[in-house]
Amino acid sequence: SDSAAAAGGGGAGAGSSFGVPAAGKVPSSTAHAHQPPPLQQLSEEMLDYYNQIAEDIEDSKKRQEVFLRLDSVVKNRFPFAKLIVFGSCAVGLGSKKSDIDACVVMKDCPELGALKEEHGEDDYKRFVLSEISKELEDEKSGWEVLKTLLDIRIPLIKCTDKTTKLEADISFSNAVMHEAKTQLLRKFSQSHALVRVLILTVKYWSGQRKIRDSFMLNSYAWTLLTIQFLQVKMPFIFQPNQDQNVKM
């Protein structure tokens, strides 16, 4: 899970499209035929792994439908609020098992001013999340609340859609920061198929080695390190109109 507390990501407004996933599988021929056999095998294994776990267009559509249902639950309780999506799914770097990271955004209006006056500038966010949690706990909502964490640095709700079993994290954090990160990462992820392949592989590897979490390098940090590596070693793949058949 690329949670709000751990990784951040970026934002896209409710109702807008998620990050565009790859149109199809990356062919194994992308692995460089002139590599030494061990490296050639590694390249082929990375591509096989990516093709198995990377989300496709149908996965993205399903997540967006689930996200819109979640957004409607929030609006039902707070009509002047909405959710924005951020994280790996917002930039086309999600896997089939990636959860949905969402952030609450509230319109500057008298109702928001009343909330702040009643609960305080900081605590009103915890109140909002606690109320959203109650809405999600209603059997008619179609959601199951796994955890409501209000006493951590970035309070959040962890929940699961009962129909699709997709998980979602709802936080009340810096929406402007999420938007900026999303635009940056989306631009990189859409520049070349190999960017998505390497980022998803590195995230998987770091998770398996237990060196990816909020106390060390989180998912966002590993993504930035991977992009920096590609900028140094293969800068041409970030150029406009580059050949998508560049070998690894």
Side-chain angles (χ1 to χ4, degrees):
S1 166
D2 298 334
S3 74
S16 65
S17 63
F18 278 29
V20 180
K25 293 181 180 295
V26 178
S28 59
S29 59
T30 306
H32 204 302
H34 300 295
Q35 289 177 328
L39 289 181
Q40 186 176 351
Q41 180 181 355
L42 177 61
S43 295
E44 291 172 352
E45 289 176 354
M46 288 170 60
L47 290 171
D48 288 342
Y49 168 75
Y50 172 83
N51 287 329
Q52 289 174 21
I53 62 97
E55 67 172 353
D56 56 26
I57 293 175
E58 290 304 312
D59 295 322
S60 182
K61 286 182 179 178
K62 181 170 70 174
R63 277 195 181 84
Q64 188 163 10
E65 291 170 359
V66 171
F67 172 77
L68 291 175
R69 292 204 300 272
L70 187 60
D71 184 60
S72 68
V73 173
V74 173
K75 283 186 168 69
N76 184 59
R77 177 61 181 84
F78 297 103
F80 52 98
K82 69 175 182 178
L83 293 179
I84 63 169
V85 64
F86 67 97
S88 56
C89 293
V91 297
L93 292 173
S95 68
K96 293 181 181 298
K97 295 183 179 181
S98 293
D99 60 9
I100 299 169
D101 292 316
C103 176
V104 179
V105 176
M106 292 190 146
K107 183 170 66 174
D108 190 7
C109 61
E111 291 84 353
L112 176 59
L115 278 178
K116 291 181 178 180
E117 184 175 349
E118 180 178 357
H119 300 281
E121 188 69 30
D122 295 324
D123 288 342
Y124 87 92
K125 295 180 180 180
R126 291 181 170 84
F127 170 76
V128 168
L129 287 179
S130 68
E131 291 296 297
I132 292 173
S133 180
K134 292 175 185 176
E135 292 286 321
L136 293 169
E137 288 171 350
D138 189 318
E139 289 186 4
K140 297 179 181 179
S141 73
W143 288 86
E144 176 186 358
V145 175
L146 303 177
K147 292 180 181 178
T148 301
L149 306 171
L150 300 179
D151 296 323
I152 60 177
R153 185 174 63 88
I154 301 179
L156 59 84
I157 303 167
K158 301 181 77 69
C159 54
T160 301
D161 177 56
K162 293 180 180 178
T163 302
T164 63
K165 305 304 180 185
L166 283 175
E167 295 188 4
D169 291 352
I170 307 172
S171 66
F172 206 143
S173 48
N174 192 327
V176 175
M177 175 189 69
H178 292 322
E179 182 67 38
K181 288 181 178 180
T182 289
Q183 292 179 5
L184 175 67
L185 292 185
R186 184 181 289 140
K187 186 173 295 186
F188 281 123
S189 71
Q190 293 177 358
S191 61
H192 197 283
L194 292 184
V195 178
R196 296 189 294 272
V197 173
L198 192 56
I199 287 175
L200 280 178
T201 303
V202 168
K203 286 168 68 174
Y204 171 76
W205 167 81
S206 60
Q208 290 295 105
R209 296 295 179 181
K210 302 186 185 304
I211 54 175
R212 172 171 58 86
D213 60 37
S214 57
F215 299 103
M216 301 175 68
L217 289 176
N218 58 32
S219 181
Y220 181 62
W222 281 109
T223 297
L224 293 182
L225 283 174
T226 306
I227 291 172
Q228 171 65 12
F229 171 81
L230 290 172
Q231 286 177 319
V232 173
K233 295 297 185 180
M234 302 177 69
F236 51 87
I237 69 172
F238 294 112
Q239 300 302 316
N241 304 316
Q242 79 284 36
D243 182 5
Q244 289 289 320
N245 294 316
V246 172
K247 310 298 183 183
M248 290 180 73

